[in-house]
Amino acid sequence: MRDPHRVLIKPVVTEKAMALGSQLRSYTFEVDKRANKIEIRRAVEKNFNVKVESVNTIVMKGKRRRFRFSTGLS
């Protein structure tokens, strides 16, 4: 079991994430890639003293960026 402080990396602060938070009481975090839903639930409950109803996860690829004469993922 991982340390709850290492599971949650940082909150996602975008316009869409803020709208979800205010309207649906749904919050978005960037988490450790190896963490499962149970570990994420426990980390949020321990760090913020709340009861988590459900956890949804998604794995996103990085955006393709141009670096001078080549391309890569960021």
Side-chain angles (χ1 to χ4, degrees):
M1 188 157 117
R2 290 180 202 32
D3 177 29
H5 296 288
R6 295 192 186 272
V7 172
L8 300 177
I9 297 172
K10 64 181 179 181
V12 176
V13 183
T14 62
E15 192 172 340
K16 185 175 182 179
M18 293 295 112
L20 283 172
S22 64
Q23 294 173 357
L24 302 176
R25 293 179 46 199
S26 166
Y27 301 96
T28 311
F29 295 95
E30 186 175 321
V31 298
D32 184 2
K33 203 169 191 173
R34 297 166 296 179
N36 59 33
K37 289 185 178 188
I38 296 168
E39 291 172 334
I40 295 168
R41 173 189 298 258
R42 287 182 184 152
V44 171
E45 287 177 345
K46 182 168 176 149
N47 289 336
F48 299 103
N49 297 322
V50 294
K51 183 178 182 322
V52 176
E53 292 180 10
S54 67
V55 175
N56 298 326
T57 60
I58 185 171
V59 178
M60 294 182 65
K61 272 187 161 179
K63 291 185 178 182
R64 192 163 282 291
R65 304 274 186 192
R66 261 181 69 193
F67 302 105
R68 218 169 159 111
F69 300 110
S70 64
T71 60
L73 295 176
S74 64

